[in-house]
Coordinates of all heavy atoms in Angstrom, one line a residue:
M1 N 0.8 -1.2 0.0 CA 0.0 0.0 0.0 C 0.9 1.3 0.0 O 1.8 1.3 0.8 CB -0.9 0.0 1.3 CG -2.0 1.0 1.2 SD -3.0 0.9 2.7 CE -2.5 2.4 3.5
T2 N 0.5 2.2 -0.8 CA 1.3 3.4 -0.8 C 0.8 4.3 0.3 O -0.3 4.3 0.7 CB 1.1 4.2 -2.1 OG1 -0.2 4.3 -2.4 CG2 1.9 3.6 -3.3
D3 N 1.7 5.1 0.8 CA 1.4 5.9 2.0 C 2.0 7.3 1.8 O 2.8 7.5 1.0 CB 2.0 5.2 3.2 CG 1.0 5.2 4.4 OD1 0.1 6.0 4.3 OD2 1.2 4.4 5.3
F4 N 1.5 8.2 2.6 CA 2.1 9.5 2.6 C 3.4 9.5 3.3 O 3.6 9.0 4.4 CB 1.1 10.5 3.3 CG 0.0 10.9 2.4 CD1 -1.2 10.2 2.4 CD2 0.1 12.0 1.6 CE1 -2.3 10.6 1.6 CE2 -1.0 12.4 0.7 CZ -2.2 11.7 0.7
V5 N 4.4 10.1 2.6 CA 5.8 10.1 3.1 C 6.1 11.6 3.4 O 5.8 12.5 2.6 CB 6.7 9.5 2.1 CG1 8.2 9.7 2.5 CG2 6.4 8.1 1.8
R6 N 6.8 11.8 4.5 CA 7.2 13.2 4.9 C 8.3 13.6 3.9 O 9.2 12.9 3.7 CB 7.8 13.2 6.3 CG 8.2 14.6 6.7 CD 9.0 14.5 8.0 NE 9.3 15.8 8.5 CZ 10.3 16.6 8.1 NH1 11.1 16.2 7.2 NH2 10.5 17.8 8.6
I7 N 8.1 14.8 3.3 CA 9.1 15.3 2.4 C 9.9 16.4 3.0 O 11.1 16.4 2.8 CB 8.3 15.9 1.1 CG1 7.4 14.9 0.5 CG2 9.3 16.4 0.1 CD1 8.1 13.6 0.0
C8 N 9.3 17.3 3.7 CA 10.1 18.4 4.3 C 9.2 19.1 5.3 O 8.0 18.9 5.4 CB 10.6 19.4 3.3 SG 9.2 20.3 2.5
A9 N 9.8 20.0 6.1 CA 9.1 20.9 7.0 C 8.4 22.0 6.2 O 8.9 22.4 5.1 CB 10.0 21.5 8.0
Q10 N 7.3 22.5 6.7 CA 6.6 23.6 6.0 C 7.5 24.7 5.7 O 7.4 25.4 4.7 CB 5.4 24.0 6.8 CG 4.4 24.8 6.1 CD 3.1 24.9 6.8 OE1 2.9 24.4 7.9 NE2 2.1 25.6 6.3
S11 N 8.4 25.0 6.7 CA 9.3 26.1 6.5 C 10.3 25.9 5.4 O 11.0 26.9 5.0 CB 10.1 26.3 7.9 OG 10.8 25.1 8.2
E12 N 10.5 24.7 4.9 CA 11.4 24.5 3.8 C 10.8 24.5 2.4 O 11.4 24.4 1.4 CB 12.0 23.1 3.9 CG 12.9 22.9 5.2 CD 13.3 21.4 5.3 OE1 12.6 20.6 5.8 OE2 14.5 21.1 4.9
L13 N 9.5 24.7 2.4 CA 8.7 24.8 1.1 C 9.2 26.0 0.3 O 9.7 27.0 0.8 CB 7.2 24.9 1.4 CG 6.6 23.7 1.9 CD1 5.1 24.0 2.3 CD2 6.6 22.5 0.9
P14 N 9.2 25.8 -1.0 CA 9.6 27.0 -1.9 C 8.6 28.2 -1.6 O 7.5 28.0 -1.3 CB 9.4 26.4 -3.3 CG 8.5 25.3 -3.2 CD 8.7 24.7 -1.8
A15 N 9.2 29.3 -1.8 CA 8.4 30.6 -1.7 C 7.4 30.6 -2.9 O 7.5 29.9 -3.9 CB 9.3 31.8 -1.8
A16 N 6.3 31.4 -2.8 CA 5.3 31.6 -3.8 C 6.0 31.9 -5.1 O 6.9 32.8 -5.2 CB 4.3 32.6 -3.4
G17 N 5.6 31.2 -6.2 CA 6.2 31.5 -7.5 C 7.5 30.8 -7.8 O 8.2 31.1 -8.8
Q18 N 7.9 29.8 -6.9 CA 9.1 29.1 -7.1 C 8.9 27.6 -7.0 O 7.9 27.1 -6.5 CB 10.1 29.6 -6.0 CG 10.5 31.0 -6.2 CD 11.6 31.4 -5.2 OE1 12.1 30.6 -4.4 NE2 11.9 32.7 -5.2
V19 N 9.9 26.9 -7.5 CA 9.9 25.4 -7.3 C 11.2 25.0 -6.6 O 12.2 25.8 -6.5 CB 9.9 24.7 -8.7 CG1 8.6 25.0 -9.4 CG2 11.1 25.1 -9.5
R20 N 11.2 23.8 -6.0 CA 12.4 23.3 -5.3 C 12.4 21.8 -5.4 O 11.3 21.2 -5.5 CB 12.3 23.7 -3.8 CG 13.5 23.3 -3.0 CD 13.5 23.7 -1.6 NE 13.8 25.2 -1.5 CZ 13.9 25.8 -0.4 NH1 13.7 25.2 0.7 NH2 14.3 27.1 -0.4
E21 N 13.6 21.3 -5.5 CA 13.7 19.8 -5.6 C 13.9 19.2 -4.3 O 14.6 19.7 -3.4 CB 14.9 19.5 -6.5 CG 15.0 17.9 -6.7 CD 16.1 17.6 -7.7 OE1 17.3 17.7 -7.3 OE2 15.8 17.3 -8.8
F22 N 13.2 18.0 -4.1 CA 13.4 17.2 -2.9 C 13.6 15.8 -3.4 O 13.1 15.4 -4.5 CB 12.2 17.3 -2.0 CG 12.1 18.6 -1.3 CD1 11.3 19.6 -1.8 CD2 12.8 18.9 -0.1 CE1 11.2 20.9 -1.2 CE2 12.7 20.1 0.5 CZ 11.9 21.1 0.0
V23 N 14.2 15.0 -2.6 CA 14.4 13.6 -2.9 C 13.8 12.8 -1.8 O 14.1 13.0 -0.6 CB 15.9 13.2 -3.1 CG1 16.0 11.7 -3.4 CG2 16.5 14.0 -4.3
A24 N 12.8 11.9 -2.1 CA 12.2 11.0 -1.1 C 12.2 9.6 -1.6 O 11.9 9.3 -2.8 CB 10.8 11.5 -0.9
T25 N 12.7 8.7 -0.8 CA 12.8 7.3 -1.1 C 13.5 7.1 -2.4 O 13.1 6.3 -3.3 CB 11.5 6.5 -1.0 OG1 10.6 7.0 -2.0 CG2 10.8 6.6 0.3
G26 N 14.5 7.9 -2.7 CA 15.3 7.8 -3.9 C 14.7 8.4 -5.1 O 15.3 8.3 -6.2
R27 N 13.6 9.0 -4.9 CA 12.9 9.6 -6.1 C 13.0 11.1 -6.0 O 12.6 11.7 -5.0 CB 11.5 9.1 -6.1 CG 10.6 9.6 -7.3 CD 9.2 9.1 -7.2 NE 8.5 9.4 -8.3 CZ 7.2 9.1 -8.5 NH1 6.6 8.4 -7.6 NH2 6.6 9.5 -9.6
A28 N 13.3 11.8 -7.1 CA 13.4 13.2 -7.2 C 12.0 13.7 -7.4 O 11.2 13.2 -8.2 CB 14.2 13.7 -8.4
L29 N 11.6 14.8 -6.6 CA 10.3 15.4 -6.7 C 10.5 16.9 -7.0 O 11.5 17.5 -6.5 CB 9.6 15.2 -5.4 CG 9.3 13.8 -4.9 CD1 8.7 13.8 -3.5 CD2 8.4 13.1 -5.9
C30 N 9.5 17.5 -7.7 CA 9.5 18.9 -7.9 C 8.3 19.5 -7.1 O 7.2 19.1 -7.4 CB 9.3 19.1 -9.4 SG 9.0 20.9 -9.8
V31 N 8.6 20.3 -6.2 CA 7.6 20.9 -5.3 C 7.4 22.3 -5.8 O 8.4 23.1 -5.9 CB 8.0 20.9 -3.8 CG1 6.9 21.6 -3.0 CG2 8.1 19.4 -3.4
A32 N 6.2 22.7 -6.2 CA 5.9 24.0 -6.7 C 5.0 24.8 -5.8 O 4.1 24.2 -5.2 CB 5.3 23.9 -8.1
N33 N 5.2 26.1 -5.7 CA 4.3 26.9 -4.9 C 3.6 27.9 -5.8 O 4.2 28.9 -6.3 CB 5.1 27.6 -3.8 CG 4.2 28.5 -2.9 OD1 3.1 28.9 -3.3 ND2 4.7 28.8 -1.7
V34 N 2.4 27.6 -6.1 CA 1.6 28.5 -7.0 C 0.7 29.4 -6.2 O -0.4 29.0 -5.7 CB 0.8 27.7 -8.0 CG1 0.1 28.7 -9.0 CG2 1.6 26.7 -8.8
D35 N 1.2 30.6 -5.9 CA 0.4 31.5 -5.0 C -0.1 30.9 -3.7 O -1.3 31.0 -3.3 CB -0.8 32.0 -5.8 CG -0.4 32.8 -7.1 OD1 0.7 33.4 -7.0 OD2 -1.1 32.8 -8.1
G36 N 0.8 30.1 -3.1 CA 0.4 29.5 -1.9 C -0.1 28.1 -2.0 O -0.1 27.4 -1.0
A37 N -0.5 27.6 -3.1 CA -0.9 26.3 -3.3 C 0.3 25.4 -3.7 O 1.0 25.7 -4.6 CB -1.9 26.2 -4.5
I38 N 0.5 24.3 -2.9 CA 1.6 23.5 -3.1 C 1.2 22.3 -4.0 O 0.3 21.6 -3.8 CB 2.1 22.9 -1.7 CG1 2.5 24.0 -0.8 CG2 3.3 21.9 -1.9 CD1 3.7 24.9 -1.3
C39 N 2.0 22.2 -5.1 CA 1.8 21.1 -6.0 C 3.1 20.3 -6.1 O 4.2 20.8 -6.0 CB 1.5 21.6 -7.4 SG 0.1 22.7 -7.5
V40 N 3.0 19.0 -6.2 CA 4.1 18.1 -6.2 C 4.1 17.2 -7.5 O 3.1 16.6 -7.7 CB 4.2 17.2 -5.0 CG1 5.5 16.3 -5.0 CG2 4.2 18.1 -3.7
L41 N 5.2 17.2 -8.2 CA 5.3 16.4 -9.4 C 6.5 15.6 -9.4 O 7.4 15.8 -8.6 CB 5.4 17.3 -10.7 CG 4.4 18.4 -11.0 CD1 4.9 19.7 -10.4 CD2 4.2 18.6 -12.4
D42 N 6.5 14.6 -10.2 CA 7.7 13.8 -10.4 C 8.8 14.8 -10.8 O 8.6 15.7 -11.6 CB 7.5 12.8 -11.5 CG 8.7 11.8 -11.5 OD1 9.8 12.2 -12.0 OD2 8.5 10.6 -11.2
G43 N 10.0 14.7 -10.2 CA 11.1 15.7 -10.5 C 11.9 15.4 -11.7 O 12.8 16.2 -12.0
T44 N 11.6 14.3 -12.4 CA 12.5 14.0 -13.6 C 11.7 14.3 -14.8 O 10.6 13.8 -15.1 CB 12.8 12.5 -13.5 OG1 13.5 12.2 -12.3 CG2 13.8 12.2 -14.7
C45 N 12.2 15.2 -15.6 CA 11.6 15.7 -16.8 C 11.4 14.5 -17.8 O 12.4 13.7 -18.0 CB 12.4 16.8 -17.5 SG 11.7 17.4 -19.1
P46 N 10.2 14.3 -18.4 CA 10.0 13.2 -19.3 C 10.7 13.3 -20.6 O 10.7 12.4 -21.4 CB 8.5 13.1 -19.4 CG 8.0 14.5 -19.1 CD 9.0 15.1 -18.1
H47 N 11.2 14.5 -20.9 CA 11.9 14.7 -22.2 C 13.3 13.9 -22.2 O 13.4 12.9 -22.8 CB 12.1 16.2 -22.4 CG 12.8 16.5 -23.7 ND1 13.8 17.4 -23.8 CD2 12.7 15.9 -24.9 CE1 14.3 17.4 -25.1 NE2 13.6 16.5 -25.8
E48 N 14.2 14.5 -21.4 CA 15.5 13.8 -21.3 C 16.0 13.7 -19.9 O 17.3 13.6 -19.7 CB 16.5 14.4 -22.3 CG 16.2 14.2 -23.7 CD 17.2 14.8 -24.7 OE1 18.2 15.4 -24.2 OE2 17.0 14.6 -25.9
G49 N 15.1 13.8 -19.0 CA 15.6 13.5 -17.6 C 16.1 14.7 -16.8 O 16.7 14.6 -15.8
G50 N 15.8 15.9 -17.3 CA 16.2 17.1 -16.6 C 15.6 17.3 -15.2 O 14.5 16.7 -15.0
P51 N 16.2 18.1 -14.3 CA 15.7 18.2 -13.0 C 14.6 19.3 -12.9 O 15.0 20.5 -12.8 CB 17.0 18.6 -12.2 CG 17.8 19.3 -13.2 CD 17.5 18.7 -14.6
L52 N 13.4 18.9 -13.0 CA 12.3 19.9 -13.0 C 12.3 20.8 -11.7 O 11.9 22.0 -11.7 CB 10.9 19.2 -13.1 CG 10.6 18.6 -14.4 CD1 9.3 17.9 -14.4 CD2 10.7 19.6 -15.6
G53 N 12.8 20.2 -10.6 CA 12.8 21.0 -9.3 C 13.9 22.1 -9.3 O 13.9 22.9 -8.4
E54 N 14.7 22.1 -10.4 CA 15.7 23.2 -10.5 C 15.2 24.2 -11.6 O 16.0 25.0 -12.1 CB 17.1 22.6 -10.8 CG 17.6 21.8 -9.7 CD 19.0 21.2 -10.0 OE1 19.6 21.6 -11.0 OE2 19.3 20.2 -9.3
G55 N 14.0 24.0 -12.1 CA 13.5 24.8 -13.1 C 12.9 26.1 -12.6 O 13.2 26.5 -11.5
T56 N 12.0 26.7 -13.4 CA 11.4 27.9 -12.9 C 9.9 27.8 -13.1 O 9.4 26.8 -13.8 CB 11.8 29.1 -13.8 OG1 11.6 28.8 -15.2 CG2 13.3 29.5 -13.6
L57 N 9.1 28.6 -12.4 CA 7.7 28.5 -12.4 C 7.2 29.7 -13.2 O 7.5 30.9 -12.9 CB 7.1 28.5 -11.0 CG 5.7 28.1 -10.8 CD1 5.4 26.8 -11.3 CD2 5.4 28.2 -9.3
E58 N 6.4 29.4 -14.3 CA 5.9 30.5 -15.1 C 4.4 30.2 -15.4 O 4.1 29.2 -16.1 CB 6.7 30.7 -16.4 CG 8.1 31.2 -16.1 CD 8.9 31.2 -17.4 OE1 8.3 31.2 -18.5 OE2 10.2 31.2 -17.3
K59 N 3.5 31.1 -15.0 CA 2.1 31.0 -15.3 C 1.6 29.6 -14.9 O 0.9 29.0 -15.8 CB 1.8 31.3 -16.7 CG 2.2 32.8 -17.1 CD 2.0 33.0 -18.5 CE 2.4 34.5 -18.9 NZ 2.7 34.7 -20.3
G60 N 1.9 29.1 -13.8 CA 1.4 27.8 -13.4 C 2.0 26.6 -14.0 O 1.6 25.5 -13.8
R61 N 3.1 26.9 -14.7 CA 3.9 25.7 -15.3 C 5.3 25.7 -14.9 O 5.9 26.8 -14.7 CB 3.9 25.9 -16.9 CG 2.5 25.8 -17.5 CD 2.7 25.7 -19.0 NE 1.5 25.7 -19.7 CZ 1.0 26.8 -20.3 NH1 1.6 28.0 -20.2 NH2 -0.2 26.8 -20.9
V62 N 5.8 24.5 -14.7 CA 7.2 24.4 -14.4 C 8.0 24.3 -15.7 O 7.6 23.5 -16.6 CB 7.6 23.2 -13.4 CG1 7.1 21.9 -14.0 CG2 9.1 23.2 -13.1
V63 N 9.0 25.1 -15.8 CA 9.8 25.1 -17.1 C 11.1 24.4 -16.8 O 11.9 24.8 -15.9 CB 10.1 26.5 -17.5 CG1 10.9 26.5 -18.8 CG2 8.8 27.3 -17.7
C64 N 11.4 23.3 -17.5 CA 12.6 22.5 -17.3 C 13.8 23.3 -17.6 O 13.9 24.0 -18.6 CB 12.5 21.3 -18.2 SG 14.0 20.2 -18.1
P65 N 14.9 23.2 -16.8 CA 16.1 24.0 -17.0 C 16.9 23.6 -18.2 O 17.8 24.3 -18.6 CB 16.8 23.9 -15.7 CG 16.4 22.6 -15.1 CD 14.9 22.4 -15.5
W66 N 16.6 22.4 -18.7 CA 17.5 21.8 -19.8 C 17.0 22.3 -21.2 O 17.8 22.8 -21.9 CB 17.5 20.3 -19.7 CG 18.5 19.8 -18.7 CD1 19.1 20.6 -17.7 CD2 18.9 18.5 -18.4 NE1 19.8 19.7 -16.9 CE2 19.7 18.5 -17.3 CE3 18.6 17.3 -19.1 CZ2 20.3 17.3 -16.8 CZ3 19.2 16.1 -18.6 CH2 20.0 16.1 -17.5
H67 N 15.8 22.1 -21.5 CA 15.4 22.5 -22.9 C 14.1 23.3 -22.9 O 13.4 23.4 -23.9 CB 15.2 21.3 -23.8 CG 16.3 20.3 -23.7 ND1 16.2 19.1 -23.0 CD2 17.6 20.4 -24.2 CE1 17.4 18.5 -23.1 NE2 18.2 19.2 -23.8
S68 N 13.7 23.8 -21.7 CA 12.6 24.7 -21.5 C 11.2 24.1 -21.9 O 10.3 24.9 -22.2 CB 12.8 26.0 -22.4 OG 14.0 26.6 -22.0
Y69 N 11.0 22.8 -21.8 CA 9.7 22.3 -22.0 C 8.9 22.7 -20.7 O 9.5 22.7 -19.6 CB 9.7 20.8 -22.1 CG 10.0 20.2 -23.4 CD1 10.9 20.9 -24.3 CD2 9.5 19.0 -23.9 CE1 11.2 20.4 -25.5 CE2 9.8 18.5 -25.1 CZ 10.7 19.2 -25.9 OH 11.0 18.7 -27.2
A70 N 7.6 23.0 -20.8 CA 6.8 23.4 -19.7 C 5.7 22.5 -19.4 O 5.1 21.9 -20.3 CB 6.3 24.8 -20.0
F71 N 5.4 22.3 -18.1 CA 4.4 21.4 -17.7 C 3.5 22.0 -16.6 O 4.0 22.6 -15.7 CB 5.0 20.1 -17.1 CG 5.9 19.4 -18.1 CD1 7.3 19.7 -18.0 CD2 5.5 18.5 -19.0 CE1 8.2 19.1 -18.9 CE2 6.4 17.9 -19.9 CZ 7.7 18.2 -19.8
D72 N 2.2 21.9 -16.8 CA 1.2 22.4 -15.8 C 1.5 21.7 -14.5 O 1.4 20.5 -14.4 CB -0.2 22.1 -16.3 CG -1.2 22.8 -15.5 OD1 -1.3 22.6 -14.3 OD2 -2.0 23.6 -16.0
V73 N 1.7 22.4 -13.4 CA 2.1 21.8 -12.2 C 0.8 21.1 -11.5 O 1.0 20.3 -10.6 CB 2.7 22.7 -11.2 CG1 4.1 23.2 -11.7 CG2 1.8 23.9 -10.8
R74 N -0.4 21.5 -11.9 CA -1.5 20.9 -11.3 C -1.9 19.6 -12.0 O -2.5 18.7 -11.4 CB -2.7 21.9 -11.3 CG -2.5 23.0 -10.4 CD -3.8 23.8 -10.2 NE -3.7 24.7 -9.1 CZ -3.3 26.0 -9.2 NH1 -2.8 26.4 -10.3 NH2 -3.2 26.7 -8.1
T75 N -1.7 19.5 -13.3 CA -2.2 18.4 -14.1 C -1.0 17.6 -14.7 O -1.2 16.4 -15.1 CB -3.1 18.8 -15.3 OG1 -2.2 19.6 -16.2 CG2 -4.2 19.7 -14.8
G76 N 0.2 18.1 -14.8 CA 1.3 17.5 -15.4 C 1.3 17.6 -16.9 O 2.1 17.0 -17.6
A77 N 0.2 18.3 -17.4 CA 0.1 18.3 -18.9 C 1.2 19.2 -19.5 O 1.6 20.2 -19.0 CB -1.3 18.9 -19.2
P78 N 1.7 18.7 -20.7 CA 2.7 19.5 -21.3 C 2.2 20.6 -22.1 O 1.0 20.6 -22.5 CB 3.3 18.4 -22.3 CG 2.1 17.6 -22.6 CD 1.3 17.5 -21.4
Q79 N 3.0 21.6 -22.3 CA 2.6 22.7 -23.2 C 2.9 22.4 -24.6 O 2.1 22.9 -25.5 CB 3.4 24.0 -22.8 CG 3.0 25.2 -23.5 CD 3.7 26.5 -23.0 OE1 4.8 26.4 -22.4 NE2 3.1 27.6 -23.2
D80 N 3.9 21.7 -24.9 CA 4.3 21.4 -26.3 C 4.0 20.0 -26.8 O 3.1 19.8 -27.5 CB 5.8 21.8 -26.5 CG 6.1 23.2 -26.0 OD1 5.4 24.1 -26.5 OD2 6.9 23.3 -25.1
D81 N 4.9 19.1 -26.4 CA 4.8 17.7 -26.9 C 3.7 17.0 -26.1 O 3.9 16.6 -24.9 CB 6.1 17.1 -26.8 CG 6.2 15.7 -27.5 OD1 5.1 15.1 -27.6 OD2 7.2 15.3 -27.9
A82 N 2.6 16.7 -26.7 CA 1.5 16.1 -26.0 C 1.8 14.7 -25.4 O 1.1 14.2 -24.6 CB 0.3 16.0 -27.0
E83 N 2.9 14.1 -25.9 CA 3.2 12.7 -25.4 C 4.0 12.8 -24.1 O 4.1 11.7 -23.4 CB 3.9 11.9 -26.5 CG 3.1 11.6 -27.7 CD 3.8 10.8 -28.7 OE1 4.9 10.4 -28.4 OE2 3.2 10.5 -29.7
L84 N 4.5 13.9 -23.8 CA 5.3 14.0 -22.6 C 4.5 14.6 -21.4 O 4.1 15.8 -21.5 CB 6.5 14.9 -22.8 CG 7.5 14.4 -23.9 CD1 8.6 15.5 -24.1 CD2 8.1 13.1 -23.6
R85 N 4.2 13.8 -20.5 CA 3.4 14.2 -19.4 C 4.1 13.8 -18.1 O 4.8 12.8 -18.0 CB 2.0 13.5 -19.4 CG 1.1 13.8 -18.3 CD -0.2 13.1 -18.5 NE -1.1 13.9 -19.4 CZ -1.9 14.9 -19.0 NH1 -2.0 15.2 -17.7 NH2 -2.6 15.6 -19.9
V86 N 4.0 14.7 -17.1 CA 4.6 14.5 -15.8 C 3.6 14.0 -14.8 O 2.5 14.5 -14.7 CB 5.3 15.8 -15.3 CG1 6.0 15.6 -14.0 CG2 6.2 16.4 -16.3
E87 N 4.0 13.0 -14.0 CA 3.1 12.5 -13.0 C 2.9 13.5 -11.9 O 3.9 14.1 -11.4 CB 3.6 11.2 -12.4 CG 2.7 10.6 -11.4 CD 3.3 9.3 -10.7 OE1 4.4 8.9 -11.1 OE2 2.6 8.8 -9.9
V88 N 1.7 13.8 -11.5 CA 1.4 14.7 -10.4 C 1.1 13.8 -9.2 O 0.3 12.8 -9.3 CB 0.2 15.6 -10.7 CG1 -0.2 16.4 -9.5 CG2 0.5 16.5 -11.8
L89 N 1.6 14.1 -8.0 CA 1.5 13.3 -6.8 C 0.5 14.0 -5.8 O 0.5 15.2 -5.7 CB 2.8 13.0 -6.2 CG 3.8 12.3 -7.2 CD1 5.2 12.5 -6.8 CD2 3.5 10.8 -7.1
E90 N -0.2 13.1 -5.1 CA -1.1 13.7 -4.1 C -0.3 14.2 -3.0 O 0.6 13.5 -2.5 CB -2.0 12.5 -3.6 CG -3.3 13.0 -3.1 CD -4.2 11.8 -2.7 OE1 -4.2 10.8 -3.4 OE2 -4.8 11.9 -1.6
A91 N -0.6 15.4 -2.5 CA 0.2 16.0 -1.4 C -0.6 16.7 -0.5 O -1.8 17.2 -0.8 CB 1.2 17.0 -2.1
K92 N -0.2 16.8 0.8 CA -0.9 17.6 1.8 C 0.1 18.2 2.7 O 1.2 17.6 3.0 CB -1.9 16.7 2.5 CG -1.3 15.5 3.2 CD -2.4 14.6 3.8 CE -1.9 13.4 4.5 NZ -2.9 12.5 5.0
V93 N -0.3 19.4 3.2 CA 0.6 20.1 4.2 C -0.2 20.0 5.5 O -1.4 20.6 5.6 CB 0.9 21.5 3.8 CG1 1.7 22.2 4.9 CG2 1.6 21.6 2.5
E94 N 0.3 19.4 6.5 CA -0.4 19.3 7.8 C 0.6 19.1 8.9 O 1.7 18.5 8.7 CB -1.5 18.2 7.8 CG -0.9 16.8 7.6 CD -2.0 15.8 7.6 OE1 -3.2 16.1 7.4 OE2 -1.7 14.6 7.9
N95 N 0.2 19.6 10.1 CA 1.1 19.5 11.2 C 2.5 20.0 10.9 O 3.5 19.5 11.4 CB 1.2 18.1 11.7 CG -0.2 17.6 12.2 OD1 -1.0 18.3 12.7 ND2 -0.4 16.3 12.0
G96 N 2.6 21.1 10.1 CA 3.9 21.7 9.8 C 4.8 21.0 8.9 O 6.0 21.3 8.8
E97 N 4.2 20.0 8.2 CA 5.1 19.4 7.2 C 4.4 19.0 5.9 O 3.1 18.8 5.9 CB 5.8 18.2 7.8 CG 5.0 17.2 8.5 CD 5.8 16.1 9.3 OE1 6.9 16.5 9.8 OE2 5.4 15.0 9.3
L98 N 5.2 18.8 4.9 CA 4.6 18.4 3.6 C 4.7 16.9 3.5 O 5.8 16.3 3.7 CB 5.4 19.0 2.4 CG 5.1 18.5 1.0 CD1 3.7 18.8 0.6 CD2 6.1 19.0 0.0
R99 N 3.6 16.3 3.2 CA 3.6 14.8 3.0 C 3.1 14.5 1.6 O 2.2 15.2 1.1 CB 2.7 14.1 4.0 CG 3.2 14.2 5.4 CD 2.2 13.6 6.4 NE 2.8 13.6 7.7 CZ 3.6 12.6 8.2 NH1 3.8 11.6 7.4 NH2 4.1 12.7 9.4
V100 N 3.7 13.5 0.9 CA 3.3 13.2 -0.4 C 3.1 11.7 -0.5 O 3.8 10.9 0.1 CB 4.4 13.6 -1.4 CG1 4.2 13.1 -2.8 CG2 4.6 15.1 -1.4
K101 N 2.1 11.3 -1.3 CA 1.8 9.9 -1.5 C 2.7 9.4 -2.6 O 2.5 9.8 -3.8 CB 0.3 9.8 -1.9 CG -0.3 8.4 -1.6 CD -1.8 8.5 -1.8 CE -2.5 7.2 -1.3 NZ -3.9 7.3 -1.4
L102 N 3.5 8.5 -2.3 CA 4.5 7.9 -3.2 C 4.1 6.5 -3.7 O 3.5 5.8 -2.9 CB 5.9 7.9 -2.6 CG 6.5 9.3 -2.3 CD1 7.9 9.1 -1.6 CD2 6.7 10.0 -3.6
Ligands
FES1 S1 15.1 17.4 -20.3 FE1 13.5 18.7 -19.7 S2 13.1 19.8 -21.5 FE2 14.6 18.4 -22.1

């Protein structure tokens, strides 16, 4: 059974308008803060494996630092290549920490 795993303290979350990379159980995650809403995606870009958590956040999309492909942080939907989609993970912030269902 998959369970919620602690990712970080609430104080470590990215500031509004930013993304940050975390690694949990060996998996890279991209945590995005869209105007206070925390979204968590798989941190490995489906294009060529770039680190999405080191990208930038623009208009609700994370932009990969390697070749600038952009993905909606709420749905994982790509802006360009319809075949490249990022998995979005269920996440919750409670008791001062971010937990994600892995
Ligand atoms: S690896 Fe992310 S856009 Fe190419």
Side-chain angles (χ1 to χ4, degrees):
M1 195 181 107
T2 49
D3 225 338
F4 281 90
V5 174
R6 181 190 186 280
I7 304 301
C8 67
Q10 194 166 2
S11 59
E12 297 175 278
L13 289 171
Q18 294 184 4
V19 297
R20 181 175 285 184
E21 182 176 76
F22 289 93
V23 177
T25 63
R27 181 178 185 183
L29 302 173
C30 170
V31 177
N33 183 338
V34 185
D35 299 329
I38 300 299
C39 302
V40 181
L41 306 93
D42 190 291
T44 303
C45 181
H47 179 225
E48 290 184 357
L52 291 179
E54 295 177 17
T56 53
L57 192 58
E58 293 176 19
K59 297 178 184 158
R61 296 190 186 96
V62 59
V63 180
C64 180
W66 282 10
H67 314 101
S68 303
Y69 281 33
F71 305 91
D72 188 304
V73 296
R74 290 192 168 88
T75 65
Q79 184 174 25
D80 306 302
D81 189 333
E83 292 184 3
L84 298 179
R85 176 174 281 270
V86 181
E87 183 184 359
V88 176
L89 298 155
E90 204 177 323
K92 58 186 178 184
V93 178
E94 62 179 20
N95 299 326
E97 51 189 36
L98 172 65
R99 292 175 175 273
V100 173
K101 203 169 187 178
L102 295 176

